[in-house]
Amino acid sequence: MMAPTARVATATKDVLLNRQRRSRRRRLPLTTVAALTWLGALFTFALLQPTLPLPSPTAQNLLARLTPPWGFGGSITHLLGTDHLGRDLLARILAGTRISVSLALLGMLISALLGTSLGIVAGYRRGVFDQVVGFLIDFWLAVPFIAIAFVALTLFGTGMTVLIPLLGLSGWEQYARVTRANTMRVRQELYVLAAHGLGAHPARIVFQHVLPNQVAPLLVMATLHLTSLILLESSLSFLGIGVQPPTPSLGNLLGEARNYLQIAWWFPFFPGMTLILLTLAFNELGDWLRDVTDPAIRGRR
């Protein structure tokens, strides 16, 4: 048998290890801190762009076209230089970031609401509705969404009224699959069966027991999905079928800059780096949320 002193030492060691694990979980990783700092600074300046002492993002000045950034032969009036029409690049990047993220956020909310609703109803009611939703998910996964986007934007135009619903239809099947599986699991729990046996209304069971169990995975999915929607909107705008000039977005800024790669390096560099860092920051935030909310990963820390 273990001596009392050894048992006390082992228990003390376990307590210290548990405290260290809790302390590590409370501390944010440096990469997550950097991502949150970058996102906070970028969104703050993007939202305040109309009030900042910067030129209008749509104001043209052909006499100042392709002016290099400040410190590379340019002036402090245009910190990041100008584009091919003399428009201030910093103002256009901030305005484009606000528009790109706003479109992606609206698309993510539509997609999450649609997919979550279908997934919960299909997982709870089962039957024919579940089969129809399963068929729609399989069909949506089988067809390349970029092809659907090309057809829709060609037929209905490239306005915001078409682009936002189109973004909302991208990725809804992922929400539906996850919420359907979680709903099928939760509906077999004893407390849900007890509530059903006591005559509780299905809507009450869904809102009180099923939906709260979806919050953690949906939060992680929404963060990662936002990244894919930003890239999708940027890709469509880069190809000329998304946000139309002179309204700036990160995608059409890169689309306009592709013809000036050799003579104006700053024109594609700064919008491209903004897009890269934006997507990396959202991915890092999504990974951190997954680690925090996943019990299997949290238990190993």
Side-chain angles (χ1 to χ4, degrees):
M1 294 183 63
M2 185 180 295
T5 305
R7 288 199 297 270
V8 171
T10 302
T12 304
K13 182 179 179 180
D14 291 340
V15 171
L16 292 176
L17 287 175
N18 289 331
R19 287 180 178 177
Q20 291 176 358
R21 289 173 179 171
R22 288 195 296 269
S23 177
R24 284 197 298 269
R25 288 200 297 268
R26 283 195 294 266
R27 290 200 303 265
L28 290 175
L30 291 178
T31 52
T32 305
V33 173
L36 290 173
T37 303
W38 162 250
L39 290 175
L42 181 62
F43 292 162
T44 299
F45 284 111
L47 291 173
L48 295 178
Q49 176 268 323
T51 64
L52 295 177
L54 294 172
S56 171
T58 59
Q60 300 181 14
N61 182 8
L62 295 179
L63 297 177
R65 65 187 302 269
L66 298 180
T67 300
W70 180 54
F72 292 89
S75 66
I76 197 171
T77 306
H78 304 289
L79 289 176
L80 300 184
T82 60
D83 64 5
H84 61 300
L85 296 177
R87 295 172 296 194
D88 186 73
L89 195 55
L90 176 58
R92 288 185 65 77
I93 289 175
L94 293 177
T97 299
R98 184 177 67 252
I99 292 173
S100 295
V101 174
S102 298
L103 290 174
L105 185 60
L106 288 174
M108 182 267 291
L109 292 175
I110 295 172
S111 182
L113 181 61
L114 176 62
T116 301
S117 302
L118 291 176
I120 289 178
V121 175
Y124 188 82
R125 296 190 62 86
R126 306 301 302 275
V128 177
F129 187 83
D130 184 30
Q131 295 176 2
V132 172
V133 172
F135 172 78
L136 291 176
I137 291 174
D138 293 337
F139 172 79
W140 210 255
L141 290 173
V143 179
F145 184 77
I146 193 70
I148 299 175
F150 274 122
V151 173
L153 291 172
T154 302
L155 293 177
F156 303 107
T158 57
M160 296 290 186
T161 55
V162 178
L163 187 58
I164 292 175
L166 190 62
L167 294 175
L169 291 176
S170 173
W172 68 268
E173 73 281 359
Q174 302 296 334
Y175 294 96
R177 292 176 66 186
V178 171
T179 53
R180 175 181 176 274
N182 285 340
T183 301
M184 292 173 61
R185 175 185 57 82
V186 173
R187 72 191 297 269
Q188 300 299 326
E189 297 289 344
L190 292 178
Y191 59 88
V192 175
L193 296 176
H196 186 269
L198 292 173
H201 194 274
R204 181 176 181 181
I205 295 176
V206 167
F207 282 103
Q208 288 191 352
H209 302 296
V210 176
L211 193 57
N213 285 279
Q214 314 282 358
V215 173
L218 288 179
L219 185 61
V220 177
M221 284 187 61
T223 305
L224 299 176
H225 185 215
L226 193 61
T227 301
S228 65
L229 287 179
I230 292 174
L231 293 176
L232 175 61
E233 183 278 325
S234 299
S235 301
L236 295 174
S237 298
F238 178 84
L239 295 174
I241 57 175
V243 178
Q244 297 299 303
T247 303
S249 78
L250 295 177
N252 64 26
L253 284 177
L254 291 173
E256 294 172 346
R258 59 187 167 185
N259 296 323
Y260 300 90
L261 292 173
Q262 296 181 347
I263 62 175
W265 60 267
W266 59 91
F267 193 2
F269 176 78
F270 290 115
M273 286 303 299
T274 302
L275 181 60
I276 290 173
L277 294 177
L278 184 63
T279 55
L280 287 177
F282 273 121
N283 281 335
E284 173 61 29
L285 183 60
D287 291 340
W288 174 73
L289 287 174
R290 181 200 59 199
D291 294 346
V292 170
T293 57
D294 192 337
I297 297 177
R298 191 170 63 243
R300 295 196 297 265
R301 290 177 174 267

